[in-house]
């Protein structure tokens, strides 16, 4: 799937963080014509904390995602942002995923050195 077809992107598309730990912020950017719910997963839950794990992005808007890296051995990990289109009146960002409504995902490589 090319990024032009994606309704959701992460900016920047790849991040580096110190293996000794640190916090960085990326943007979740929607190009969709409808409200999107998102869910964030990481390949290394021991070293990464993400806020928020669930949330919404309004039509053609962006929201900040805070990624915190705890001290740990340097390695390459990834964060996956899953997304689903939801009605404008949806208030629970977890509901679409509980119902299996995921429509796509974007992978953000996390490089710790």
């Amino acid at each position: 799937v090319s990024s032009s077809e994606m309704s959701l992107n992460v900016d920047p598309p790849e991040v580096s963080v110190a293996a000794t730990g640190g916090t960085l912020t990326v943007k979740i950017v929607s190009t969709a014509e409808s409200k999107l719910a998102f869910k964030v997963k990481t390949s290394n839950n021991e070293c990464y904390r993400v806020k928020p794990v669930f949330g919404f992005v309004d039509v053609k808007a962006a929201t900040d995602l805070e990624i915190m890296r705890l001290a740990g051995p340097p390695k390459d990990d990834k964060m996956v942002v899953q997304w689903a289109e939801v009605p404008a009146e949806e208030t629970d960002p977890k509901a679409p995923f509980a119902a299996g409504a995921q429509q796509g995902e974007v992978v953000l490589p996390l490089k710790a050195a």
Side-chain angles (χ1 to χ4, degrees):
V1 177
S2 75
S3 59
S4 62
E5 295 168 24
M6 296 292 281
S7 295
L8 186 122
N9 293 296
V10 178
D11 184 33
E14 182 177 302
V15 296
S16 297
V17 62
T20 52
T23 302
L24 57 126
T25 302
V26 297
K27 287 206 175 303
I28 295 178
V29 182
S30 170
T31 58
E33 298 293 338
S34 58
K35 182 175 176 178
L36 298 179
F38 67 85
K39 173 184 180 180
V40 182
K41 295 158 74 166
T42 71
S43 61
N44 183 348
N45 288 328
E46 288 178 25
C47 289
Y48 289 95
R49 301 289 181 267
V50 180
K51 284 196 297 203
V53 174
F54 289 91
F56 292 112
V57 187
D58 286 324
V59 177
K60 303 221 182 262
T63 190
D64 286 344
L65 184 70
E66 185 178 287
I67 304 169
M68 186 170 81
R69 171 73 153 90
L70 307 176
K75 64 187 282 254
D76 290 352
D77 291 300
K78 66 182 179 181
M79 183 180 82
V80 178
V81 181
Q82 299 176 330
W83 55 268
E85 291 186 13
V86 296
E89 63 274 8
E90 180 65 69
T91 57
D92 180 1
K94 294 182 184 178
F97 299 100
Q102 177 190 335
Q103 290 170 289
E105 63 182 34
V106 60
V107 177
L108 175 69
L110 300 168
K111 301 198 179 299

